[in-house]
Amino acid sequence: KSSSSESHSQDVPVLNDQGKSTDETLSALSSGGVEDQEDHAASSASTSTDAKSPKWDSAKSVVIGLAAGYGINVYQQFVGSLRATGYNGHIILGIASDPPSDVTDYLQKQNVITHPVEIGTCTYFNYTTVDGIPSTDQVCSTNYPDYKIQWGRFPMARDWLLQCEECTDGVMLTDTRDAYFQSDPFQYIEEPH
Protein backbone atom coordinates (compact mmCIF):
# COMPACT_ATOMS: atom_id res chain seq x y z
CA LYS A 1 0.00 0.00 0.00
CA SER A 2 1.47 3.36 -0.94
CA SER A 3 0.51 6.63 0.65
CA SER A 4 -0.52 9.61 -1.43
CA SER A 5 2.64 11.47 -0.44
CA GLU A 6 4.81 8.64 -1.79
CA SER A 7 2.88 8.63 -5.06
CA HIS A 8 3.07 12.42 -5.30
CA SER A 9 6.82 12.51 -4.66
CA GLN A 10 7.41 10.15 -7.57
CA ASP A 11 5.55 12.45 -9.98
CA VAL A 12 7.23 15.71 -8.92
CA PRO A 13 10.84 16.27 -10.03
CA VAL A 14 13.38 17.30 -7.41
CA LEU A 15 14.39 20.92 -7.97
CA ASN A 16 17.52 22.72 -6.90
CA ASP A 17 17.48 26.25 -5.51
CA GLN A 18 17.36 27.71 -9.02
CA GLY A 19 14.28 25.75 -10.11
CA LYS A 20 16.14 23.25 -12.28
CA SER A 21 15.29 19.57 -12.06
CA THR A 22 17.94 17.06 -11.11
CA ASP A 23 17.80 15.68 -14.68
CA GLU A 24 18.39 19.16 -16.15
CA THR A 25 21.33 19.75 -13.81
CA LEU A 26 22.87 16.35 -14.57
CA SER A 27 22.46 17.03 -18.29
CA ALA A 28 24.33 20.33 -17.90
CA LEU A 29 27.07 18.61 -15.94
CA SER A 30 27.60 15.90 -18.52
CA SER A 31 27.89 18.49 -21.27
CA GLY A 32 30.95 20.05 -19.66
CA GLY A 33 29.83 21.84 -16.54
CA VAL A 34 28.44 25.28 -16.01
CA GLU A 35 28.83 28.62 -17.66
CA ASP A 36 30.85 31.51 -16.28
CA GLN A 37 30.80 31.75 -12.47
CA GLU A 38 29.84 35.45 -12.48
CA ASP A 39 26.73 34.63 -14.52
CA HIS A 40 25.81 31.98 -11.94
CA ALA A 41 26.32 34.34 -9.03
CA ALA A 42 24.08 36.93 -10.71
CA SER A 43 21.35 34.40 -11.55
CA SER A 44 21.50 32.92 -8.06
CA ALA A 45 21.12 36.35 -6.49
CA SER A 46 18.15 37.19 -8.70
CA THR A 47 16.32 33.90 -8.06
CA SER A 48 16.91 33.70 -4.32
CA THR A 49 14.95 36.74 -3.18
CA ASP A 50 12.94 34.76 -0.67
CA ALA A 51 16.00 33.04 0.88
CA LYS A 52 17.62 34.20 4.09
CA SER A 53 20.66 36.35 3.56
CA PRO A 54 23.77 34.29 4.15
CA LYS A 55 25.68 34.70 7.39
CA TRP A 56 28.85 33.59 5.64
CA ASP A 57 30.20 35.01 2.41
CA SER A 58 30.41 32.14 -0.09
CA ALA A 59 33.04 34.02 -2.11
CA LYS A 60 35.36 33.78 0.91
CA SER A 61 34.32 30.25 1.88
CA VAL A 62 35.85 26.95 0.79
CA VAL A 63 34.77 23.38 0.07
CA ILE A 64 37.63 20.90 0.51
CA GLY A 65 37.84 17.24 -0.44
CA LEU A 66 40.19 14.41 -1.33
CA ALA A 67 39.43 13.16 -4.84
CA ALA A 68 42.53 11.26 -5.91
CA GLY A 69 42.31 8.75 -8.73
CA TYR A 70 38.75 9.24 -9.97
CA GLY A 71 37.48 9.56 -13.51
CA ILE A 72 36.09 12.76 -14.98
CA ASN A 73 32.50 11.80 -14.13
CA VAL A 74 33.18 12.06 -10.37
CA TYR A 75 34.63 15.55 -10.75
CA GLN A 76 31.75 16.65 -12.97
CA GLN A 77 29.24 15.47 -10.39
CA PHE A 78 31.02 17.02 -7.39
CA VAL A 79 32.41 20.27 -8.83
CA GLY A 80 29.75 20.68 -11.52
CA SER A 81 26.83 20.33 -9.12
CA LEU A 82 28.48 22.75 -6.68
CA ARG A 83 29.13 25.38 -9.37
CA ALA A 84 25.62 24.86 -10.81
CA THR A 85 24.15 26.12 -7.50
CA GLY A 86 25.78 29.50 -8.07
CA TYR A 87 28.50 28.86 -5.50
CA ASN A 88 31.37 31.18 -6.45
CA GLY A 89 33.70 30.38 -3.57
CA HIS A 90 36.85 28.33 -3.41
CA ILE A 91 37.07 24.61 -4.10
CA ILE A 92 40.23 22.79 -3.03
CA LEU A 93 40.77 19.17 -4.06
CA GLY A 94 43.56 16.72 -3.43
CA ILE A 95 43.95 14.81 -6.69
CA ALA A 96 46.21 12.08 -8.06
CA SER A 97 49.76 13.17 -8.83
CA ASP A 98 49.31 12.11 -12.48
CA PRO A 99 45.68 12.88 -13.41
CA PRO A 100 44.39 12.52 -16.97
CA SER A 101 44.36 15.73 -19.01
CA ASP A 102 40.54 15.78 -19.22
CA VAL A 103 40.43 15.95 -15.41
CA THR A 104 43.01 18.75 -15.12
CA ASP A 105 41.38 20.71 -17.97
CA TYR A 106 37.94 20.43 -16.36
CA LEU A 107 39.15 21.40 -12.89
CA GLN A 108 41.07 24.37 -14.25
CA LYS A 109 38.00 25.53 -16.21
CA GLN A 110 35.93 25.30 -13.02
CA ASN A 111 38.51 27.34 -11.05
CA VAL A 112 39.42 24.51 -8.66
CA ILE A 113 42.61 24.70 -6.61
CA THR A 114 44.31 21.30 -6.84
CA HIS A 115 47.02 19.68 -4.76
CA PRO A 116 48.72 16.48 -5.96
CA VAL A 117 48.60 13.64 -3.45
CA GLU A 118 51.52 11.23 -3.69
CA ILE A 119 50.68 7.74 -2.47
CA GLY A 120 53.43 5.92 -0.62
CA THR A 121 54.21 3.26 1.93
CA CYS A 122 52.52 3.49 5.29
CA THR A 123 54.69 3.54 8.39
CA TYR A 124 51.76 2.56 10.59
CA PHE A 125 49.50 -0.43 10.06
CA ASN A 126 46.05 -0.81 11.51
CA TYR A 127 45.61 -4.32 12.87
CA THR A 128 42.03 -4.88 11.81
CA THR A 129 41.87 -8.66 11.60
CA VAL A 130 41.12 -11.07 14.40
CA ASP A 131 44.48 -12.85 13.98
CA GLY A 132 46.51 -9.60 14.17
CA ILE A 133 47.68 -9.50 10.55
CA PRO A 134 48.11 -5.92 9.23
CA SER A 135 45.57 -4.74 6.70
CA THR A 136 47.05 -5.04 3.20
CA ASP A 137 44.74 -2.56 1.48
CA GLN A 138 45.96 0.40 3.49
CA VAL A 139 47.52 3.32 1.59
CA CYS A 140 49.04 6.55 2.88
CA SER A 141 50.15 9.86 1.43
CA THR A 142 53.89 10.50 1.40
CA ASN A 143 53.26 13.67 3.43
CA TYR A 144 51.52 11.76 6.22
CA PRO A 145 52.77 8.14 6.14
CA ASP A 146 51.66 7.54 9.74
CA TYR A 147 48.00 7.90 8.74
CA LYS A 148 46.03 5.77 6.33
CA ILE A 149 44.61 7.97 3.57
CA GLN A 150 41.13 8.05 5.14
CA TRP A 151 42.62 9.76 8.23
CA GLY A 152 45.47 11.60 6.48
CA ARG A 153 43.01 13.69 4.50
CA PHE A 154 42.34 15.77 7.62
CA PRO A 155 45.88 17.09 8.14
CA MET A 156 46.22 17.49 4.36
CA ALA A 157 43.05 19.60 4.30
CA ARG A 158 44.44 21.71 7.14
CA ASP A 159 47.64 22.29 5.14
CA TRP A 160 45.68 23.25 2.02
CA LEU A 161 43.44 25.60 3.99
CA LEU A 162 46.43 27.36 5.53
CA GLN A 163 47.78 27.98 2.02
CA CYS A 164 44.55 29.68 0.90
CA GLU A 165 44.81 33.26 2.11
CA GLU A 166 41.44 34.19 0.55
CA CYS A 167 39.60 31.39 2.41
CA THR A 168 38.54 33.47 5.41
CA ASP A 169 34.95 32.40 6.00
CA GLY A 170 33.08 29.08 6.03
CA VAL A 171 34.92 25.78 5.59
CA MET A 172 33.33 22.51 4.51
CA LEU A 173 35.36 19.29 4.42
CA THR A 174 33.46 16.58 2.62
CA ASP A 175 33.66 13.30 0.76
CA THR A 176 33.73 13.76 -2.99
CA ARG A 177 32.85 10.55 -4.82
CA ASP A 178 29.33 10.31 -3.43
CA ALA A 179 28.50 14.00 -2.92
CA TYR A 180 26.10 16.07 -5.00
CA PHE A 181 25.07 19.67 -4.25
CA GLN A 182 21.56 21.06 -4.67
CA SER A 183 22.26 24.50 -3.18
CA ASP A 184 25.15 26.66 -2.07
CA PRO A 185 26.32 24.92 1.15
CA PHE A 186 26.90 28.25 2.91
CA GLN A 187 23.68 29.98 1.87
CA TYR A 188 21.51 28.95 4.81
CA ILE A 189 24.01 28.57 7.61
CA GLU A 190 23.17 30.66 10.63
CA GLU A 191 25.47 31.79 13.40
CA PRO A 192 25.41 29.60 16.50
CA HIS A 193 23.36 30.85 19.42
Side-chain angles (χ1 to χ4, degrees):
K1 178 179 176 180
S2 67
S3 70
S4 61
S5 65
E6 288 175 359
S7 172
H8 178 71
S9 67
Q10 293 173 356
D11 297 334
V12 178
V14 176
L15 301 178
N16 67 14
D17 68 331
Q18 295 170 350
K20 292 183 181 175
S21 72
T22 303
D23 290 339
E24 289 173 316
T25 303
L26 286 174
S27 174
L29 297 177
S30 65
S31 66
V34 298
E35 62 263 14
D36 186 68
Q37 293 173 20
E38 291 176 18
D39 294 340
H40 274 290
S43 70
S44 177
S46 65
T47 59
S48 299
T49 56
D50 60 336
K52 293 181 182 179
S53 63
K55 303 291 182 183
W56 290 350
D57 183 354
S58 289
K60 297 177 183 176
S61 296
V62 60
V63 175
I64 304 174
L66 177 62
Y70 296 131
I72 187 70
N73 60 325
V74 171
Y75 299 100
Q76 287 174 331
Q77 177 179 300
F78 183 80
V79 174
S81 69
L82 181 55
R83 291 293 188 213
T85 69
Y87 175 74
N88 63 351
H90 304 278
I91 302 173
I92 300 175
L93 293 178
I95 64 172
S97 58
D98 58 345
S101 62
D102 63 337
V103 169
T104 56
D105 292 346
Y106 178 77
L107 295 177
Q108 184 176 24
K109 180 180 174 187
Q110 296 298 323
N111 197 27
V112 175
I113 300 166
T114 59
H115 293 276
V117 176
E118 295 281 340
I119 301 299
T121 305
C122 298
T123 58
Y124 166 80
F125 286 93
N126 182 18
Y127 289 92
T128 57
T129 61
V130 175
D131 53 7
I133 299 172
S135 173
T136 57
D137 62 347
Q138 197 166 291
V139 296
C140 299
S141 78
T142 55
N143 290 343
Y144 292 97
D146 291 341
Y147 301 101
K148 63 182 180 177
I149 198 78
Q150 295 89 335
W151 298 339
R153 66 184 171 152
F154 298 108
M156 285 188 284
R158 179 206 56 212
D159 295 346
W160 303 332
L161 182 59
L162 291 173
Q163 294 173 29
C164 183
E165 293 180 9
E166 300 84 23
C167 300
T168 58
D169 223 331
V171 176
M172 176 184 216
L173 176 60
T174 182
D175 289 342
T176 54
R177 184 176 50 88
D178 56 358
Y180 177 87
F181 294 89
Q182 294 187 26
S183 66
D184 179 334
F186 301 101
Q187 185 172 3
Y188 302 106
I189 296 177
E190 297 185 21
E191 294 178 13
H193 296 87

